[in-house]
Structure formats: structure tokens, C-alpha cells
Amino acid sequence: MERKHLSSIANHVLRTTAQELGTSVEHLVEEFEAGWNPEVGDYSRKLMEFCSSKALINLCQNIEERLNNGSYSRFTYDMMLAWKNPSGALLEKPQAENEDSKISVNLPTEQDDIPLFYSDLMPLLVNDEPSVGEDAFVWLGSLVPLVADIVNGRFTFETLTAPTGNRLFFPAYDKFLKEIDNCMKHLQKQATPKGVELADDEYILHVEGTVTTQRVVRHIEGTSWPGRLTLTNHALYFEASGVLTYDDALKIDLSRDIEHGVKPAATGPWGAPLFDKAIIYESPEFQEGVLLEFPEMTSSTRRNHWLALTKEVLLMHKFLSKLKAESPIQAREMHARTILSIIRLHAAREMLRICPPDPTKFLIFSLYDELPKGDYVLEQLAESLNKVNIAQPCSAHSILRKMNFSEPTISEIEEKGVNEKRETIAGSEDDDKTSLESAINQTRKEEREVVNAKEAIEGLKDEGISENAFILMELLKPLKSGFVWFRETLSWERPRTTLVVIAIVTVIVYKEWVGKAISAGLLVLVAKMIHARQEKLKDKKKEITVCTAFEPSASTRENIVSAQYMYMTICQIIHQANVTILKLHSVLVSRAPKHANVMMVGITGLAILLAVSPLKYLIISAVLHWMIMRSKLGKYMKNNQNERRVKEWWDSIPPTPVRIVDQCL
């Protein structure tokens, strides 16, 4: 019986759910109304959420078969349509056609070499059915983390639907799910690295360097070794290619709680960093790091892909180490969600081969490590893990088990939580998700501010340099030794010297001998001048010679590369100085009102502090704080979150625009 207050697609989902559960529509509605609170409102949508939740539990019990026969993609897509428009008349075909006519193909501007036939592929992913929006997509991901994860679902949707005007059509959705299934099956067929026995909860996530894939090269000093590179959710394995087979794998453990990291690197002949297509893993275990190159003709897409994946696994383990989960359930679920995010990235790359998506938009930790206030989202994620039940059929861990991607590792005690979770997933979990969604929305808002500020910076025109750079470097050479001594003192490489400096500075400031200290310094300068006169340095060095020639011991190519990189470095310094001045100007003239208010409050507070407190105590406190924070004790006490807040605040300041003209007015 059709319910008039529901749309046609909502009635269809209601009937299909009843058939799926082996019950009647009336009984399903009665069960919902028995637990429904009228004060919540939105009866139709809550009914759709209730029915979808109960149906998804059955779908997830046999999800692999449902994916293969296409029933999962069709039913879940109808769920999203019903959730989008649960009541009233659904947008019919004419409206859908009008909607599709407004779709524009959005391609990244930096990829100018995309073939013209790329846009011809888009009709294959679009039909005349109603499309799904971002909210419905994220809602489904909050129930089943297969096609999306609630943490990064909005970023995934934006990237996945960019070519279709940020609308998801059924052909694209169905193809995405099929690619996810294919990627899982492909990864299950990959061979275990030679000489390695994977842990029970360790799974292969990506492999390259085989006969059917592109090359991977490891550089060790002056030699290069091609081989096979394998990434799991615990480590990287590199197997150098032998005559007939691979050598035993080199294991790079990403799960250890040590100071290690991975970053982009450049390689080239004779050690010249010409090709920016490599990554380097640095840790105390490898003194010179592990340098891996991913050769390709044009862009650095492969390198960026591997960098994002490796960083994701590394950050996941840092997150779990910081979380200090008492139960392994939390770690298992987080591993499963990370694995699914990587699989979704593989699937998206298969769908969009000509225009590969940004890897971080499909990952969790790599994404929020870069976004402003991303650490707030991860804190909310940690809290949500405390309520997870991996025995529930729609959890990430259960999905991987049902897809035969991982082995069953749930105890009998954990299995008891299934029935309880059947009730909670069918009920309302809005309260549990509100704080997480609020943090995500705040992060997206902050991201837009940072993006706008960076776009303004990129619009500035870089100016060139002349021989003044060589002159400046030559004039600063005498200060080099003093700078080295000063740096070693601040970094506690000379503990005795550091303690003596702290004691002298403290005594001078406390006794208010600053004037006497300056006088002593000036007298030392006079003594140096007298010594220079006695040595007749003016006759020995009548002029300062600045040499712009290349080093004679270096080859021509090395000299060219060195000069080019020196030029680029100086240009970057000048550019950064311009950006800093323009940002300060923007704050001073209140072009950025929010930042100007913060600056005025801070300056006012500093003025009051200087007015009421003796200056010497402030200086002593500042010196002691600086020196302590540079020591090992300070590094242990260091709060990276405060530094991150300041950096995010600075990045979000839009600089004052600059216009370059050829003639002065």
C-alpha cells in the first residue's frame, strides 16, 4: 500500500526493505513508530533512516555476493535518493534532464596536457535518473564505510564528482563500487614479499615494480637498484631484482613509535637533484635514509601517490600510539577504515585514469594532517572509536571479513555485541555524530580561508636577482663561524658553553648591566679596529673580491645545477619576504579584520604587561624559556598543537594584492 506522505522512491525503498527483512510494510512502520519520538520531527526522513539501517545489516551479511550481482549498488543508491527526498513528489525525468544540462566538466587547471576526448567519457557516467548530492552520500557513508567514510566523505564526494558538476549519478556510483570490489580482489592476489612472513593483521595495500607495473628504483649513494615495492598496513618492503628472482625484502617498519617520517625527494645523475619523482624515508635505523624513485615521463603522479599512501599508514600508527587504545577493537576498526580509504583511492584512480584525483582527498590522516584544525577532527575521531563495535555487520572490519580481505579475529565476547548494535544502528545516532561533523565543517571553513590566502600569494609575481646576491653572500662569510657557534650553543651541542651563556645573560639582565655589557662589546670592537690598523689590512685587502665563477673541481653540469638551485633558493627567500610584508600590511590596514582584531588584542596585552612588569624579569623569563625549550627537556614538553594553531592563523591571512606596472604614474 502506497503511503501518500512519502515520495515514490521512498515507498519503493520501504517495500524493498520489507521484502529484504521478510516482513510486511505495516509491521515495519509499526516498529518504527513504536520507538519514534514526535518531538524529533521529520517523520518521513527518520522512517527512511530506520528502514535503510535495518536493510543494510542484511545487505552487509552477504555483501560480496550483493556487489557482484549489482543489488547492493541499486538498493543503496535508491536509499540515498529516498533520504534526499523522502516526502512529496520526487524529481522526475524532465527535472533531472534540466539538472544534467547544467553539469559542467571541471578539470584541474595544472594538467594542460589532458586529451580533448576526456569530456566525451562523461556521458558514460551520467544518465537521466535523479542524481545524489553530498549530504546523502555522506549519510550512507556514516552507516556503511564502504563507498565513503564519514570523516572524509565530503572531500571524497567533491573529488569524485568534480567532472559531473558535483552530482553523483548511478552509473558512476555503480562503477565506483565495482572498482572497489576489483581492487580488493587484485590486492588479495598479490604475492608476499620474499623472506617475509606477514603478521596476522597485516595486509598488502599496493604493489609496484613487477613485470606488469611501472619501475621502482632504490638509490644507494651512486648505485641504483630496481625492484618490487610493497606497502602493507604495517610496513614498506623493497625487494631488489635479481637475475631470476627477487632478493630478500628490506623491511621499513612504519608501525614503530619512533621519530621517523617520509618526504618527497629529487634524484638525478651525479647526485644532481633534477627529477622530483622520489620519496625518502628517514629514521634512526637508516642513517642515510631510504631513497625510492618512481620514474615516469612527465608528472610526479606516481611519487605523490606512494608518498600519500606511505604517509597515511605512518600517521595512522602515530594516531593509534597517541590514542593508547586499551582494547584492540579500536585499533582493528581504525586499520580497517584506513585500508578501505586506500582501496577507495585505488578505485577512483581506475575510474579517472586520465585525470588522477588528489590522493589526500580519499585518505583520512594525510588529509587532516594538512588541513587547518585537522587535529580537532582526529580528536573527535578518537572519541568515536570508543563506541565502535567491530562485530556489527556494517563496521569496516566486518566488511573486510565479508569480502574475504581479512581473517576473522573476533572473540565470542565481541560477537555478543552484534544484537545490541542491530538496535543502535537502526536508531538515531545524531548525537554521537554531531561533534564530529561540527569539527569537520569547521575544518572545511578554515580550509577555504587558507586556500583563498594561498591563491592570492600565488598571484604575486616573482622578481629576479642580480650580482647583489653574490655580494651579500661574500660579505656574510665572516659571520659564518659566529653563526655556527651561536647555533651550536642554542641547540645545546656545547652544554658547558650554553650554561655559561645563560648565567652571563641572567646576571647582566638582573643586575641591570645591559649598558655596561654594550659598552664592553663596543670596546672589543674598537680593539678589533686597532688590531686591523696595526696589521695594515687596508693595504693587504684593498677591495673585496666577489667571485661568480663555478668551482674548478666540479663538472660543468654540476656547476649549472648548483647555480640553478642557488638561484631558486634566493628567489624563494625574496618571495617569502615579500609575502610576509604584504601579510603584515594586510593586518595593519584591517584588510583581514579577524586577524587584525587578534593582533590588536595581543599588542594591547603586551603593552600592559610591559607597563606593569619590570623589563628585566620579562627578559630573564624569555631567555630561560627559549633555552629550556631548545633542550631535550623542552622538546619533551613541547606542545605542537599551539605551533600548529599559530601557523594556521598565519596561513589564513590574505596578503595585500600587488599590481606590477611598466611605467610609474
Side-chain angles (χ1 to χ4, degrees), residues 319 323 330 333-334 337 381-388:
F319 171 80
L323 180 62
Q330 300 173 2
E333 180 68 8
M334 199 66 254
R337 292 172 71 170
L381 174 61
E383 293 181 5
S384 67
L385 285 177
N386 295 327
K387 304 175 183 179
V388 74

Side-chain angles (χ1 to χ4, degrees), residues 451-460 654-655:
V451 169
N452 293 335
K454 289 184 176 180
E455 287 178 352
I457 294 174
E458 292 175 357
L460 299 177

Side-chain angles (χ1 to χ4, degrees), residues 50-257:
F50 175 81
C51 297
S52 299
S53 299
K54 294 184 73 68
L56 283 171
I57 292 177
N58 273 19
L59 288 176
C60 292
Q61 295 285 3
N62 195 17
I63 191 171
E64 184 176 16
E65 180 181 348
R66 294 300 186 97
L67 282 174
N68 291 333
N69 61 30
S71 60
Y72 179 88
S73 59
R74 183 70 263 180
F75 193 11
T76 52
Y77 189 81
D78 290 341
M79 288 180 185
M80 290 188 286
L81 290 176
W83 185 90
K84 182 185 79 168
N85 192 3
S87 59
L90 183 67
L91 297 176
E92 296 299 337
K93 190 171 182 179
Q95 178 66 24
E97 292 176 352
N98 183 47
E99 185 181 69
D100 297 343
S101 64
K102 299 178 181 179
I103 293 175
S104 60
V105 179
N106 301 319
L107 298 176
T109 56
E110 65 271 12
Q111 298 195 23
D112 298 329
D113 55 342
I114 297 175
L116 295 176
F117 63 81
Y118 177 78
S119 59
D120 294 337
L121 297 176
M122 301 317 301
L124 300 178
L125 303 178
V126 176
N127 61 6
D128 57 358
E129 292 186 31
S131 59
V132 171
E134 179 180 299
D135 292 337
F137 184 79
V138 175
W139 165 75
L140 180 64
S142 67
L143 298 180
V144 184
L146 177 61
V147 73
D149 194 294
I150 187 175
V151 180
N152 64 343
R154 297 189 181 277
F155 298 93
T156 299
F157 183 87
E158 288 178 357
T159 307
L160 189 64
T161 61
T164 54
N166 291 328
R167 304 300 300 177
L168 181 63
F169 293 83
F170 178 73
Y173 176 73
D174 183 59
K175 181 174 178 59
F176 188 43
L177 282 172
K178 290 179 179 178
E179 290 296 345
I180 290 175
D181 186 28
N182 293 336
C183 289
M184 285 189 181
K185 294 176 180 178
H186 173 74
L187 292 175
Q188 293 172 23
K189 298 177 182 178
Q190 299 303 311
T192 303
K194 185 177 180 181
V196 173
E197 184 176 352
L198 299 180
D200 294 337
D201 60 341
E202 187 173 7
Y203 310 103
I204 295 176
L205 304 179
H206 196 32
V207 178
E208 276 194 345
T210 60
V211 177
T212 58
T213 59
Q214 293 178 290
R215 290 195 312 145
V216 178
V217 180
R218 181 189 177 191
H219 296 278
I220 306 176
E221 295 181 350
T223 59
S224 301
W225 299 90
R228 179 171 63 183
L229 185 63
T230 303
L231 173 69
T232 70
N233 56 321
H234 283 276
L236 268 173
Y237 299 94
F238 180 79
E239 306 162 81
S241 299
V243 178
L244 298 176
T245 183
Y246 294 103
D247 297 339
D248 288 346
L250 168 70
K251 180 179 181 180
I252 303 174
D253 195 347
L254 303 176
S255 63
R256 299 175 60 186
D257 188 13

Side-chain angles (χ1 to χ4, degrees), residues 546-607:
V546 179
C547 180
T548 60
F550 300 111
E551 296 180 9
S553 59
S555 65
T556 303
R557 293 185 179 181
E558 291 174 339
N559 286 327
I560 294 175
V561 172
S562 177
Q564 176 67 16
Y565 268 79
M566 181 180 64
Y567 175 84
M568 293 172 59
T569 302
I570 297 176
C571 286
Q572 290 174 0
I573 294 174
I574 296 175
H575 177 68
Q576 189 61 41
N578 292 338
V579 170
T580 301
I581 295 173
L582 290 173
K583 284 194 173 190
L584 292 176
H585 181 272
S586 178
V587 173
L588 290 176
V589 300
S590 294
R591 186 178 296 275
K594 182 174 65 175
H595 302 84
N597 293 337
V598 174
M599 181 73 76
M600 287 187 290
V601 171
I603 293 176
T604 303
L606 180 61

